[in-house]
């Protein structure tokens, strides 16, 4: 299929919208005789009038050639060999055009030589068709066709500032349709994470997943657990932390992706009296917080909002059996994380911080709190208070408690000794008087 080429004057992408570092990279590639395209999500987002999250570049320069051209370059990735260019405030990803599958006898190019040196196959598929390694270089057209969705396969050519559409990306974008390139069954089998990407783009970019694709996605949803837990954790952050957590949650439940991703939480949703509405409220609150631009929600706060209600309920069950709260929380947390980490590898340190955030809640609720300034100085206090705020603003829980903390934090502290408020200044240590040993009176003579 011939690509559709849209000249500069017929599309709305201007260089002013492109990061200066990306432009400089493209110019240097071009000036050294290489092809330089802006590719992927940034082209899609510029066409939709959104600010791209990052700028990706594709080129016909091999990784080694990119490395020689840019001093700030580091080659990364096993599954995909990529160049990362480090700038002060940005990393630009530059990848060599790749083909979807091995094209028989490979050309003995520079990278083929280094690949055979390391004796690693450049394309590797497991027995179920999942791609394990994909380093076969290809043409710009082949590179576009191995991408996930048509709207993600558009390219902006620095040579003449034209747009290149190798598939049906432009018309799909106009119809706000999300469609995989090729057979969805094959594409989702090659890489199950594409199902999560479909859900993410649909939720965050207001795109409709093509009906036939949606059916296949629902059918293949249980296979999501075949993706590596580390990759699923990364994807989970993108799913929930970019301002569309609530619609993402809805689509995950509807498609059947939620249960294999979060088996423990899913069971809890099925079995407990609380319905998913509580989590929906929390996630909608998270999205509003993302939208109002105060401070983007942290992964810690998100974890607490998603898993906190279930963990608190499990803790309560154990407390009813007479186990003290902290011990009950620890046990509930350990069981929950053990199961979760089989599919989604939440870093242990972050998980531990979530447990501490939940453990801090009773101290925050206590009115008046004991030693509030030291509580406020604890690590992760801000997120612990945000967790309390979510409950107050969505379900009206503990509003007076939140009011107390807001007043406390906005009032200038009455500083006593050691910078603590007067009521928290440690009591002055009394000096122990030394007993004077009186000399015994001289015996009367
Ligand atoms: P955003 O950065 O806004 O989240 P994006 O589409 O740019 O969205 P990236 O993860 O930055 O997503 O990937 C850049 C491009 O690489 C995608 O647009 C797509 O063309 C391609 N791509 C990424 N992941 C896959 C995948 N799993 N399978 C096929 N192509 C992919
Ligand atoms: Mg991107």
């Amino acid at each position: 299929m011939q690509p559709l080429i849209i000249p500069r004057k017929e599309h709305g992408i201007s260089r002013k919208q492109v990061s200066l570092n990306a432009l400089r990279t493209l110019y240097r590639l071009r000036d050294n005789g290489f092809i330089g395209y802006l590719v992927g999500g940034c082209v899609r987002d510029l066409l939709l009038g959104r600010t791209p999250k990052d700028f990706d570049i594709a080129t016909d320069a091999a990784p080694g050639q990119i490395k020689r051209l840019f001093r700030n370059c580091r080659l990364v990735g096993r599954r995909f060999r990529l160049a990362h260019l480090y700038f002060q405030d940005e990393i630009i990803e530059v990848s060599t055009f790749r083909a979807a599958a091995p094209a028989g006898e490979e050309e003995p190019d520079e990278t083929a030589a280094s690949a055979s040196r390391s004796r690693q196959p450049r394309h590797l598929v497991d027995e179920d068709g999942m791609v394990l390694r994909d380093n076969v270089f290809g043409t710009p057209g082949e590179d576009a066709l191995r991408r996930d969705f048509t709207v993600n396969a558009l390219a902006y050519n620095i040579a003449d500032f034209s747009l290149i559409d190798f598939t049906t990306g432009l018309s799909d974008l106009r119809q706000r349709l999300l469609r995989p390139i090729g057979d969805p069954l094959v594409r989702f089998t090659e890489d199950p994470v594409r199902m999560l990407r479909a859900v993410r783009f649909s939720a965050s970019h207001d795109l409709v997943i093509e009906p036939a694709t949606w059916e296949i996605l629902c059918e293949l949803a249980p296979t999501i657990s075949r993706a590596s837990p580390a990759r699923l954790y990364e994807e989970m952050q993108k799913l929930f932390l970019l301002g569309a957590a609530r619609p993402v949650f809805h689509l995950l439940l509807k498609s059947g992706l939620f249960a294999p991703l979060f088996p423990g939480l899913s069971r809890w949703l099925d079995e407990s009296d609380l319905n998913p509405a509580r989590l929906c409220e929390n996630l909608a609150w998270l999205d509003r917080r993302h939208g109002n631009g105060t401070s983007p929600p942290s992964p810690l706060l998100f974890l607490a909002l998603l898993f906190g209600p279930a963990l608190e309920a499990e803790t309560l069950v154990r407390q009813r059996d007479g186990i003290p709260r902290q011990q009950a929380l620890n046990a509930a947390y350990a069981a929950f994380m053990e199961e979760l980490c089989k599919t989604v590898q939440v870093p242990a340190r972050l998980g531990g911080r979530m447990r501490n955030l939940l453990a801090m809640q009773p101290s925050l609720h206590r009115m008046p709190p004991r030693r509030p300034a030291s509580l406020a100085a604890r690590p992760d206090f801000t997120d612990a208070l945000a967790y309390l705020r979510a409950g107050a603003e969505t379900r009206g829980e503990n509003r007076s408690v939140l009011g107390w903390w807001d007043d406390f934090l906005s009032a200038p502290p009455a500083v006593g000794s050691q910078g603590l408020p007067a009521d928290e200044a440690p009591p002055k240590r009394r000096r122990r008087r030394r007993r004077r040993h009186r000399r015994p009176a001289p015996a009367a003579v």
Side-chain angles (χ1 to χ4, degrees):
M1 188 168 118
Q2 281 296 313
L4 186 66
I5 298 187
I6 298 102
R8 168 64 192 100
K9 57 180 187 306
E10 287 172 32
H11 68 75
I13 297 183
S14 140
R15 271 166 291 164
K16 286 197 197 92
Q17 300 163 288
V18 178
S19 109
L20 218 57
N21 296 324
L23 276 181
R24 286 196 189 118
T25 306
L26 287 167
Y27 288 141
R28 182 165 311 171
L29 285 168
R30 182 195 63 186
D31 296 345
N32 283 276
F34 295 111
I35 300 175
Y37 289 169
L38 270 184
V39 287
C42 61
V43 183
R44 174 201 67 215
D45 287 351
L46 289 173
L47 287 169
L48 287 174
R50 300 166 65 105
T51 309
K53 204 151 61 59
D54 42 33
F55 288 89
D56 296 329
I57 290 176
T59 177
D60 57 345
Q65 291 171 312
I66 303 170
K67 185 145 179 63
R68 280 198 290 280
L69 218 50
F70 297 93
R71 273 195 309 169
N72 54 342
C73 168
R74 191 180 302 160
L75 297 184
V76 296
R78 235 169 80 86
R79 191 171 179 274
F80 298 135
R81 197 92 177 121
L82 294 171
H84 276 176
L85 304 188
Y86 288 82
F87 296 92
Q88 202 168 28
D89 49 357
E90 190 179 12
I91 297 174
I92 303 277
E93 208 167 88
V94 185
S95 57
T96 308
F97 294 130
R98 282 194 297 260
E105 282 304 303
E106 285 127 52
E107 292 291 316
D109 62 10
E110 175 196 49
T111 339
S114 57
S116 63
R117 230 180 288 131
S118 62
R119 290 215 200 93
Q120 287 179 342
R122 293 199 295 166
H123 189 86
L124 200 63
V125 175
D126 77 358
E127 68 271 23
D128 296 318
M130 187 160 83
V131 176
L132 303 175
R133 189 170 301 135
D134 184 9
N135 270 329
V136 181
F137 297 116
T139 62
E142 286 170 325
D143 187 74
L145 294 184
R146 65 149 200 98
R147 291 175 183 275
D148 48 3
F149 301 102
T150 61
V151 297
N152 286 350
L154 294 157
Y156 172 86
N157 186 357
I158 200 65
D160 58 4
F161 316 121
S162 63
L163 258 185
I164 311 178
D165 186 0
F166 292 95
T167 64
T168 55
L170 271 176
S171 73
D172 288 343
L173 207 55
R174 270 189 217 112
Q175 298 176 66
R176 303 204 80 98
L177 206 58
L178 194 71
R179 189 202 299 272
I181 298 172
D183 182 347
L185 185 84
V186 174
R187 301 312 308 282
F188 291 156
T189 305
E190 279 172 356
D191 182 3
V193 169
R194 288 179 188 145
M195 296 190 279
L196 294 182
R197 289 175 60 84
V199 162
R200 170 154 71 90
F201 295 129
S202 170
S204 62
H205 288 63
D206 214 5
L207 301 169
V208 175
I209 300 175
E210 183 206 29
T213 301
W214 175 256
E215 260 178 48
I216 304 266
L217 191 154
C218 297
E219 211 174 283
L220 293 183
T223 65
I224 192 63
S225 52
R226 294 175 58 229
S228 87
R231 198 160 163 232
L232 287 179
Y233 171 67
E234 259 178 44
E235 201 55 40
M236 177 178 90
Q237 299 206 60
K238 292 187 197 159
L239 279 168
F240 289 105
L241 280 174
L242 299 176
R246 208 201 78 84
V248 157
F249 178 63
H250 171 73
L251 283 176
L252 289 179
L253 285 177
K254 200 170 152 202
S255 60
L257 282 164
F258 193 82
L261 266 182
F262 308 113
L265 188 54
S266 166
R267 223 176 23 251
W268 178 79
L269 283 175
D270 288 343
E271 290 166 9
S272 77
D273 301 337
L274 290 167
N275 58 26
R278 164 98 188 259
L279 296 188
C280 277
E281 285 164 358
N282 276 359
L283 296 175
W285 182 87
L286 198 73
D287 291 341
R288 284 198 294 280
R289 204 172 155 95
H290 189 277
N292 70 18
T294 40
S295 59
S298 67
L300 171 62
L301 179 58
F302 147 67
L303 280 187
L305 288 171
L306 185 65
F307 300 124
L311 277 169
E312 280 177 345
E314 290 294 315
T315 304
L316 215 59
V317 170
R318 288 172 162 81
Q319 276 181 283
R320 287 202 194 108
D321 290 341
I323 302 173
R325 185 182 142 86
Q326 183 62 44
Q327 228 174 303
L329 175 64
N330 289 350
Y333 167 80
F336 201 79
M337 284 312 259
E338 193 190 334
E339 187 168 30
L340 177 64
C341 284
K342 285 181 198 150
T343 51
V344 178
Q345 197 183 333
V346 174
R349 233 177 77 84
L350 190 64
R353 284 169 61 200
M354 170 179 69
R355 186 199 47 206
N356 295 345
L357 181 156
L358 296 175
M360 222 191 282
Q361 295 303 312
S363 319
L364 293 184
H365 291 176
R366 188 194 185 101
M367 279 294 123
R370 257 197 238 148
R371 298 170 68 83
S374 6
L375 209 53
R378 283 218 212 147
D380 299 328
F381 167 82
T382 312
D383 280 333
L385 189 65
Y387 184 76
L388 193 153
R389 189 179 301 284
E393 290 180 358
T394 55
R395 292 175 296 282
E397 293 166 2
N398 302 303
R399 281 221 200 115
S400 55
V401 171
L402 179 68
W404 189 96
W405 277 105
D406 281 342
D407 289 346
F408 174 78
L409 294 170
S410 57
V415 179
S417 68
Q418 297 178 14
L420 290 173
D423 65 332
E424 283 191 45
K428 276 188 187 153
R429 270 180 75 197
R430 278 224 213 119
R431 266 241 198 115
R432 268 251 212 100
R433 277 239 191 106
R434 271 237 200 111
R435 258 236 211 119
R436 273 222 196 125
H437 291 285
R438 283 218 191 121
R439 281 213 186 135
V445 187

